Amino acid sequence: MDLKELAANALAQNKKAALLVGAAGAALLGFGLGYKYMRKPEKAVRVGVVSQILIHPLKSGKAVPVSVAECQKMGLKAGELEDRHWLVVTEEGNMVTARQEPRLVLVSLSCQGGYAALNGPDMEELKFPVKQPENHILDCRVFSKDIQGRDCGDKASHWLTTFLGGEKTFRLVHYEPHMKPRRPAESEPLFPQFEKVAYPDYGPIMLLSEASVKDLSSKLDQEVTTERFRPSIVIGDCEPFDEDSWEEIQIGSVRLQRVMSCGRCILTTVDPETGVMSRKEPLETLKSYRLCKPSEKHIYKKAPLFGQLHTVKKTGVLHVGAEVYKITS
């Protein structure tokens, strides 16, 4: 075969390949357009309004109400405050919450100008730098899962130890961006494998409605407030337990995806105003009417359900007063 024939054959093969590629491309384009128009459009139904945004910088500490917050993948952030990024631990690095030390709910942690401040009843305010790179990084455990935290120093340790009674030594640690996060799926398989958190129990966002709290209060001798249940976002202008059915919601530019209900424990019996644990109410009343279906007992066991745990599907900014939409297709 001479050079002319080789050249002619090569040209013919290239034309054939080009035609095949073009046909395949057209088919893919047609499929994509077809899928776009075959897919059911989303529907947004107004279900309520954001009535409160609460950031809990210190796990088990006082909530900080804010009017505006960034909704990030790992939870809420307002200014220098990030939700559940501070943790009290024992000297061995085990987490300490209000389940073990009820008076922790009286401790407030704030941040401004690069300094954190601890405040509590009958205690002088303690300020210390948020960033202390010379301090040790401690290996900690939250629900038996490993996570790190930057030790906040001996003065913060002494403050907490004094406030909580002085019998045991406590230390304060801070989660920093470069540290390895926890994966909720390691403790609760319903969470996606890629989800990450710092010190929350499970999910980055817990959502609860005002109406659900009022419904519970109507069954109690003494009313309770939303703060007792430590939600991130409180929804108004809806019916009790409507939030149970919101699988996906849109608030402004933020998209949240429900993962599971929030199973409640002894922490709900700690009064956020006094730091006293009753060990009874409102937990006993919740158990009387908010237990899971028999088919879900392997997930929630005997814990009553109150509030919903969400992951952040799309980040953005949340505002008090923003309308909440349930997304359906």
Side-chain angles (χ1 to χ4, degrees), residues 284-296:
E284 291 302 314
T285 297
L286 280 172
K287 286 180 179 178
S288 72
Y289 78 117
R290 287 294 296 171
L291 293 178
C292 67
K293 301 172 184 175
S295 61
E296 296 177 324

Side-chain angles (χ1 to χ4, degrees), residues 76-87:
L76 299 182
K77 182 178 187 293
E80 298 175 58
L81 291 178
E82 292 185 85
D83 194 71
R84 276 106 171 167
H85 271 52
W86 305 78
L87 175 70

Side-chain angles (χ1 to χ4, degrees), residues 111-317:
C111 293
Q112 190 172 7
Y115 279 81
L118 286 172
N119 280 282
D122 303 318
M123 296 288 290
E124 286 190 17
E125 181 180 71
L126 176 69
K127 287 188 176 182
F128 55 92
V130 171
K131 294 181 180 180
Q132 301 186 70
E134 71 283 357
N135 287 4
H136 293 298
I137 293 176
L138 303 183
D139 292 323
C140 309
R141 282 160 298 283
V142 173
F143 293 110
S144 301
K145 301 301 177 184
D146 294 337
I147 190 167
Q148 293 178 320
R150 177 82 65 181
D151 186 81
C152 294
D154 291 339
K155 288 183 179 180
S157 173
H158 178 72
W159 193 99
L160 285 165
T161 300
T162 302
F163 180 75
L164 295 175
E167 294 179 6
K168 302 175 184 176
T169 299
F170 299 103
R171 302 202 73 84
L172 180 67
V173 297
H174 179 219
Y175 179 84
E176 296 175 349
H178 62 85
M179 294 175 178
K180 183 181 178 182
R182 284 168 51 241
R183 295 194 178 274
E186 293 178 1
S187 302
E188 180 44 70
L190 289 178
F191 276 87
Q193 289 291 331
F194 56 82
E195 286 296 328
K196 299 178 290 186
V197 293
Y199 303 136
D201 284 6
Y202 295 113
I205 299 292
M206 202 280 279
L207 184 143
L208 183 63
S209 74
E210 289 179 343
S212 297
V213 178
K214 288 179 182 177
D215 181 85
L216 171 60
S217 286
S218 71
K219 297 172 170 58
L220 299 169
D221 293 334
Q222 189 172 353
E223 288 188 357
V224 291
T225 61
T226 54
E227 285 79 8
R228 184 177 290 245
F229 305 100
R230 314 184 67 75
S232 314
I233 305 169
V234 182
I235 307 300
D237 197 20
C238 65
E239 294 300 314
F241 308 110
D242 274 1
E243 65 269 31
D244 295 359
S245 65
W246 302 340
E247 292 299 320
E248 193 168 343
I249 58 174
Q250 186 87 23
I251 308 172
S253 61
V254 175
R255 181 71 67 97
L256 301 178
Q257 180 71 55
R258 178 186 174 274
V259 178
M260 62 187 295
S261 298
C262 186
R264 294 302 181 164
C265 68
I266 196 82
L267 184 55
T268 58
T269 71
V270 179
D271 188 329
E273 298 300 319
T274 64
V276 174
M277 179 186 283
S278 72
R279 306 191 74 85
K280 187 177 180 182
E281 292 294 1
L283 192 60
E284 291 302 314
T285 297
L286 280 172
K287 286 180 179 178
S288 72
Y289 78 117
R290 287 294 296 171
L291 293 178
C292 67
K293 301 172 184 175
S295 61
E296 296 177 324
K297 277 193 174 181
H298 66 288
I299 302 171
Y300 302 108
K301 300 178 175 61
K302 295 181 180 180
L305 312 180
F306 201 65
Q308 300 297 319
L309 298 174
H310 286 251
T311 57
V312 181
K313 197 170 181 180
K314 186 180 178 185
T315 60
V317 177

